[in-house]
Amino acid sequence: MQRMLIILQNLRDSITLNIALLSEQFNTSGRTIRRDLEMLEQHGWVKSAGATRNKQYSLTEEGLKKLNDLD
């Protein structure tokens, strides 16, 4: 859960999300980070655009509101 919270905070605070850096930070694979993003997308926190390997993720309005409520 903490990993997903940090992913959401990164999406809120920056224009780009570097999956390689996140996977290094959490000592996990890029695939795991992508699965986290897909799960967040299924729950309405983020939306994606682009091809499978080069998807761009951003917070939804609802996701941003929920995240701000957590802070």
Side-chain angles (χ1 to χ4, degrees), residues 1 5 8 45 65-71:
M1 185 65 172
L5 180 60
L8 290 168
W45 287 76
K65 183 177 183 238
K66 289 180 187 178
L67 182 59
N68 287 334
D69 288 345
L70 290 175
D71 288 343

Side-chain angles (χ1 to χ4, degrees), residues 1-13 17 22-23 25-28 32-33 36-37 39-40 45 67 70-71:
M1 185 65 172
Q2 182 180 2
R3 185 174 65 225
M4 286 191 215
L5 180 60
I6 290 172
I7 289 170
L8 290 168
Q9 289 169 336
N10 277 313
L11 282 170
R12 178 185 62 194
D13 298 340
L17 184 68
L22 284 171
S23 64
Q25 178 182 352
F26 293 113
N27 196 28
T28 189
T32 299
I33 301 296
D36 288 347
L37 286 161
M39 186 182 312
L40 289 166
W45 287 76
L67 182 59
L70 290 175
D71 288 343

